[in-house]
């Protein structure tokens, strides 16, 4: 919000002379002017401060998380050693199997490891910088629209700053931009695509629409079909508000679609055309096909729950429903400003209902609003694998609507409709924060009551702002509303940045809460089994579903309870010095220093030795890679030194090859204990 001038207009005013701050505005200067622009320098300093604060939040004590998600860290290590592994996204440098995602995020990390060596910082810093870049692009997107709408460079700048701050302080964004999952790159690329679409709406230049297609295509190479959730809204926004006649707009959208297909498809074609014997097995698939992985395990299976090889099943991923984003697992991650963002969207559409077709505000609401609605509804009702950290995909949409809506409606606060929407949005933020803060004891009861009181006071002030004649009172009201709305997310983000996170499934927020049940994450470490953070009331998880798997010491056991990695399924083991020394001995004589069931198990040993370790069965141990016959042939040729562990994961779907391999090894080779871990030396048989 800003205490800028008000206007009697019933909708946001268009100012097409402005091109994102470059043209003359109510408080700006003409481009190319040699006159000093102290306001411009101040705005630049404020933006630099917000981005620097974002960088500090995302970089502070980053190395405490170690390898974070060792599954991807090991793949980055492999890619730093072998270009084939880098291109395909292999789990190991000997190219036995890929991760179960396309490799775009691994390309970034693999290059970083090549340049700076294998360490947690070289893996995690790129993700933090992606977060800063996403906040900057969000600022640019919101500012450009607000300048067009108001002609006020200062108000537009404040709208952009607010949007960037909301994105930076969303707890799940703080989590994922300090982690090494593909979600960080996905969010950055989707935000860049939104910026390009809005530029294409505001400027009659095809290149921006083509660039949006390129960003979305590479987003596909980060996390496959999830990127398509924003595409319908982007297309509708340009079709409705883009320049030119409808036929011309549709042709340009077709060109952008082609750019997206080419940007994503070139890698798929390369994988499909490469003979299976010349590339790694496609992890997550049952027939070594990238198309099956795309459409099945990582595609429609996520919606229907029919994912061959998954070890969740049933209600293993929670109960779908309209309010899933507000439950104990997801709420603290993303829900703080979700109701407010939707209220702002409705308010902007109503206030601008008589605006011309090409109104940039309406286009922005369509871009950000469709992003939130489509992604939120899909996440809420999908029956397949879903984890709370997926909600980071909602953060830019919520931030865009909040920054734009709060400032533009504040500009029109003399109008009853705008004032009512402002008050409702601030009250919704206060009530949501009061509810979410009530699920944790980490901050004591005082914070939620202070937030509630401040938020309701700010809501009342916003709702009756037309009666607040003094500028200082108006500014105090705006400051109170913003502070109360961001206090909860700020607290959760600071807690997130203060906590080390490791394992495959992590959650943002404090490590202690009313809902933390037995086996919850210990203080200072967050590594939850089903992604439900300490705020969870113990909802459904894959724990206790009855699948069997090897534990970190090589034995077998049933999954039960939370925490830990459950035998390497969700967290990598830390091998003893004796085992590391054994794996390194005579390593040059073997293609793989060892083989072990499950990618996270393999990752722990690989990162400790920097040697290829075969992940038998891929991530869940349910991929047919290798088959028993293939494994026996590799052993006969002397390509695998050790087999670690004595059990196998079991699932009702997928291949049982890993089980058969583990049983064959146990029946034909003598086990030994190294540093508390059961190993088999695959020689001398």
């Amino acid at each position: 919000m800003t205490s800028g001038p008000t206007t009697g207009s019933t909708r946001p005013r268009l100012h097409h002379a402005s091109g994102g701050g470059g043209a003359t505005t109510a408080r700006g200067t003409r481009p190319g002017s040699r006159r000093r622009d102290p306001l411009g320098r101040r705005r630049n300093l404020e933006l630099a401060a917000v981005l620097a604060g974002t960088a500090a939040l995302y970089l502070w004590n980053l190395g405490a998380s170690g390898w974070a998600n060792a599954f991807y860290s090991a793949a980055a290590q492999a890619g730093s050693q072998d270009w084939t592994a880098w291109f395909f996204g292999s789990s190991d440098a000997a190219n036995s199997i890929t991760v179960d995602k396309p490799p775009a995020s691994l390309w970034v990390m693999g290059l970083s490891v090549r340049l700076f060596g294998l360490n947690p910082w070289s893996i995690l810093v790129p993700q933090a910088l992606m977060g800063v870049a996403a906040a900057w692009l969000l600022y640019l997107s919101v500012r450009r629209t607000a300048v067009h709408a108001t002609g006020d460079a200062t108000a537009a700048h404040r709208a952009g700053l607010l949007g960037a701050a909301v994105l930076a302080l969303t707890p799940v964004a703080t989590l994922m931009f300090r982690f090494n999952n593909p979600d960080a790159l996905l969010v950055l690329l989707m935000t860049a695509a939104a910026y390009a679409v809005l530029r294409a709406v505001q400027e009659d230049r095809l290149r921006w629409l083509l660039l949006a297609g390129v960003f979305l295509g590479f987003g596909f190479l980060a996390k496959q079909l999830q990127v398509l959730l924003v595409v319908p809204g982007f297309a509708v926004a340009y079709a409705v508000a883009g320049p030119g006649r409808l036929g011309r707009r549709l042709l340009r959208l077709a060109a952008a679609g082609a750019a997206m297909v080419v940007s994503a498809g070139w890698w798929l074609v390369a994988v499909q055309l490469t003979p299976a014997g010349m590339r790694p097995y496609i992890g997550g698939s049952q027939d070594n096909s990238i198309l099956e992985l795309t459409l099945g395990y990582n595609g429609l299976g996520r919606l229907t729950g029919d994912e061959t090889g998954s070890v969740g099943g049933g209600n293993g991923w929670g109960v779908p429903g309209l309010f899933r984003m507000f439950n104990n697992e997801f709420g603290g991650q993303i829900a703080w400003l979700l109701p407010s963002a939707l209220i702002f969207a409705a308010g902007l559409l109503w206030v601008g209902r008589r605006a011309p077709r090409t109104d940039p505000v309406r286009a922005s609401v369509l871009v950000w609003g469709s992003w939130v609605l489509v992604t939120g509804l899909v996440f809420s009702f999908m029956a397949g694998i879903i984890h709370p950290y997926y909600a980071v995909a909602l953060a830019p949409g919520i931030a865009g609507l909040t920054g734009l809506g709060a400032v533009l409606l504040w500009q029109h606060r003399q109008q009853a409709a705008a004032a009512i929407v402002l008050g409702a949005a601030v009250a919704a933020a206060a009530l949501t924060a009061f509810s979410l803060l009530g699920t944790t004891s980490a901050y004591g009861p005082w914070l939620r009551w202070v937030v509630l009181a401040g938020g309701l006071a700010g809501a009342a002030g916003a709702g009756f702002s037309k009666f607040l004649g003094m500028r200082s009172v108006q500014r105090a009201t705006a400051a109170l509303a913003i502070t109360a709305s961001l206090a909860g997310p700020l607290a959760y983000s600071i807690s997130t940045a203060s906590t080390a996170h490791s394992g495959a499934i992590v959650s943002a927020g404090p490590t202690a809460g009313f809902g933390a049940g037995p086996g919850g994450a210990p203080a200072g470490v967050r590594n939850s089994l089903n992604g439900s953070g300490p705020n969870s009331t113990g909802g459904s998880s894959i724990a206790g579903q009855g699948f069997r798997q090897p534990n970190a010491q090589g034995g077998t056991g049933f999954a039960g309870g939370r925490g830990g990695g459950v035998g390497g399924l969700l967290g990598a083991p830390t091998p003893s010095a004796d085992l590391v020394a054994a794996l390194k001995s005579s390593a040059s004589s073997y293609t793989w220093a060892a083989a072990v069931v499950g990618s996270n198990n393999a990752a722990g040993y690989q990162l400790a030795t920097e040697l290829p370790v075969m992940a038998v069965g891929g991530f869940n141990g349910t991929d047919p890679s290798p088959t028993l016959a293939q494994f026996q042939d590799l052993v006969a040729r002397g390509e695998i030194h050790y087999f670690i562990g004595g059990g196998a994961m079991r699932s009702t779907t997928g291949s049982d090859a890993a089980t058969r391999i583990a049983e064959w090894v146990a029946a034909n080779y003598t086990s030994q204990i190294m540093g508390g871990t059961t190993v088999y030396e695959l020689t001398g048989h």
Side-chain angles (χ1 to χ4, degrees), residues 223-305:
K223 213 175 177 188
Q224 293 192 304
L225 295 183
Q226 184 177 332
V227 75
L228 298 183
L229 295 179
V230 301
V231 172
F234 289 4
V236 168
Y238 187 81
V240 168
R245 295 183 177 181
L246 178 60
R248 183 170 178 264
R249 298 197 300 273
L250 294 179
L251 284 175
R252 289 192 165 194
L253 283 173
M260 180 178 69
V261 170
V262 171
S263 300
W266 69 271
W267 185 81
L268 296 181
V269 171
V271 174
Q272 283 295 104
L273 294 181
T274 303
M278 297 177 63
R279 61 165 172 79
Y281 185 93
I282 304 301
S285 72
Q286 294 295 308
D287 61 4
N288 199 13
S289 168
I290 187 62
L291 295 180
E292 186 225 333
L293 177 66
T294 301
L295 300 175
Y297 185 80
N298 284 337
L300 296 178
R302 298 285 170 133
L303 301 178
T304 65

Side-chain angles (χ1 to χ4, degrees), residues 166-452:
V166 170
L167 175 58
L169 295 179
T170 300
V172 70
T174 301
L175 171 71
M176 297 315 294
F177 287 124
R178 293 175 56 88
F179 209 64
N180 60 326
N181 279 18
D183 302 74
L185 180 59
L186 174 69
V187 168
L188 172 61
L189 290 170
M190 290 194 299
T191 305
Y195 171 76
V197 169
L198 292 174
R199 285 290 296 264
V201 169
Q202 296 162 12
E203 302 174 7
D204 192 11
R205 294 179 180 177
L206 176 60
R207 67 187 184 191
W208 287 111
L209 209 56
L210 296 178
L211 191 58
V214 172
F215 287 138
L216 292 170
F218 276 90
F220 177 91
L221 295 182
K223 213 175 177 188
Q224 293 192 304
L225 295 183
Q226 184 177 332
V227 75
L228 298 183
L229 295 179
V230 301
V231 172
F234 289 4
V236 168
Y238 187 81
V240 168
R245 295 183 177 181
L246 178 60
R248 183 170 178 264
R249 298 197 300 273
L250 294 179
L251 284 175
R252 289 192 165 194
L253 283 173
M260 180 178 69
V261 170
V262 171
S263 300
W266 69 271
W267 185 81
L268 296 181
V269 171
V271 174
Q272 283 295 104
L273 294 181
T274 303
M278 297 177 63
R279 61 165 172 79
Y281 185 93
I282 304 301
S285 72
Q286 294 295 308
D287 61 4
N288 199 13
S289 168
I290 187 62
L291 295 180
E292 186 225 333
L293 177 66
T294 301
L295 300 175
Y297 185 80
N298 284 337
L300 296 178
R302 298 285 170 133
L303 301 178
T304 65
D306 183 17
E307 296 163 300
T308 302
S310 170
V311 295
N315 290 329
W317 315 114
V319 179
L322 183 61
F323 298 103
R324 176 185 259 177
M325 294 298 103
F326 297 91
N327 70 17
N328 285 336
E329 289 185 320
F330 287 86
Q333 314 298 301
I334 193 64
W336 303 88
L337 293 172
L338 177 54
S340 301
L342 296 176
I343 292 171
F344 281 134
L348 287 172
L349 290 177
W350 174 258
V351 172
R353 64 192 182 279
R354 296 188 181 92
R357 178 186 63 79
T358 55
D359 179 26
V361 175
R362 182 186 295 118
S364 291
V365 173
L366 290 175
V367 165
W368 304 121
S370 64
W371 183 330
V372 172
L373 283 175
V374 174
T375 303
L377 289 174
V378 170
F379 284 177
S380 295
F381 289 99
M382 59 190 286
I385 297 173
I386 182 171
H387 305 301
Y389 68 78
Y390 287 11
V392 70
L394 290 165
I398 293 172
L401 290 173
T402 301
L404 193 64
V407 172
L408 293 190
L409 292 171
W410 181 258
Q411 293 290 90
H412 291 273
R413 60 190 180 276
Q414 295 298 321
Q415 304 300 313
I420 291 172
V421 171
L422 280 170
V426 176
L431 293 171
T432 303
F434 182 78
S435 175
L436 293 174
L437 290 171
T439 65
T440 178
S441 59
Y443 312 111
W446 66 270
L447 179 60
R448 66 193 297 245
W449 288 104
V450 169
V451 167
L452 180 64

Side-chain angles (χ1 to χ4, degrees), residues 597-624:
V597 174
S599 294
N600 271 303
N601 264 326
Y605 302 113
Q606 183 169 304
L607 290 167
T609 62
E610 298 190 39
L611 298 169
V613 175
M614 179 183 290
V616 176
F619 186 88
N620 292 322
T622 55
D623 298 344

Side-chain angles (χ1 to χ4, degrees), residues 339-662:
S340 301
L342 296 176
I343 292 171
F344 281 134
L348 287 172
L349 290 177
W350 174 258
V351 172
R353 64 192 182 279
R354 296 188 181 92
R357 178 186 63 79
T358 55
D359 179 26
V361 175
R362 182 186 295 118
S364 291
V365 173
L366 290 175
V367 165
W368 304 121
S370 64
W371 183 330
V372 172
L373 283 175
V374 174
T375 303
L377 289 174
V378 170
F379 284 177
S380 295
F381 289 99
M382 59 190 286
I385 297 173
I386 182 171
H387 305 301
Y389 68 78
Y390 287 11
V392 70
L394 290 165
I398 293 172
L401 290 173
T402 301
L404 193 64
V407 172
L408 293 190
L409 292 171
W410 181 258
Q411 293 290 90
H412 291 273
R413 60 190 180 276
Q414 295 298 321
Q415 304 300 313
I420 291 172
V421 171
L422 280 170
V426 176
L431 293 171
T432 303
F434 182 78
S435 175
L436 293 174
L437 290 171
T439 65
T440 178
S441 59
Y443 312 111
W446 66 270
L447 179 60
R448 66 193 297 245
W449 288 104
V450 169
V451 167
L452 180 64
L456 293 181
F464 294 97
S465 56
K466 64 183 299 182
F467 302 108
L468 302 177
M470 296 180 60
R471 185 176 293 271
S472 59
V473 176
Q474 294 176 345
R475 288 177 174 174
T477 296
L480 179 62
I482 292 173
T483 301
S485 298
L486 294 182
L490 173 62
Y492 260 60
S493 289
I494 292 175
S495 294
T496 301
S498 303
T499 303
H501 294 84
S502 64
I505 305 170
V506 289
S507 294
T511 57
F514 292 123
V525 178
R526 180 68 64 79
N527 177 2
S528 62
L529 177 61
N530 68 333
S532 54
N535 297 343
S536 172
T537 55
S540 301
S541 76
I542 58 176
Q545 294 291 327
F547 64 93
R548 194 170 178 81
Q549 58 186 340
N551 59 35
Q553 288 71 41
T556 60
F558 288 96
R562 288 199 187 150
V566 188
L569 176 62
L570 299 177
T574 301
S576 66
D578 290 343
L579 181 53
V580 171
L583 294 178
K584 288 184 175 181
S585 67
S586 305
S588 60
S589 301
Y590 302 90
T591 303
W592 290 275
V596 61
V597 174
S599 294
N600 271 303
N601 264 326
Y605 302 113
Q606 183 169 304
L607 290 167
T609 62
E610 298 190 39
L611 298 169
V613 175
M614 179 183 290
V616 176
F619 186 88
N620 292 322
T622 55
D623 298 344
S625 172
T627 64
L628 176 58
Q630 290 170 334
F631 187 85
Q632 290 171 331
D633 181 60
L634 291 172
V635 172
R637 298 204 309 255
E639 295 196 39
I640 306 174
H641 194 181
Y642 290 101
F643 184 85
I644 304 174
M649 303 178 186
R650 299 188 185 277
S651 172
T652 57
T653 63
S655 171
D656 65 348
T659 300
R660 297 174 64 192
I661 289 171

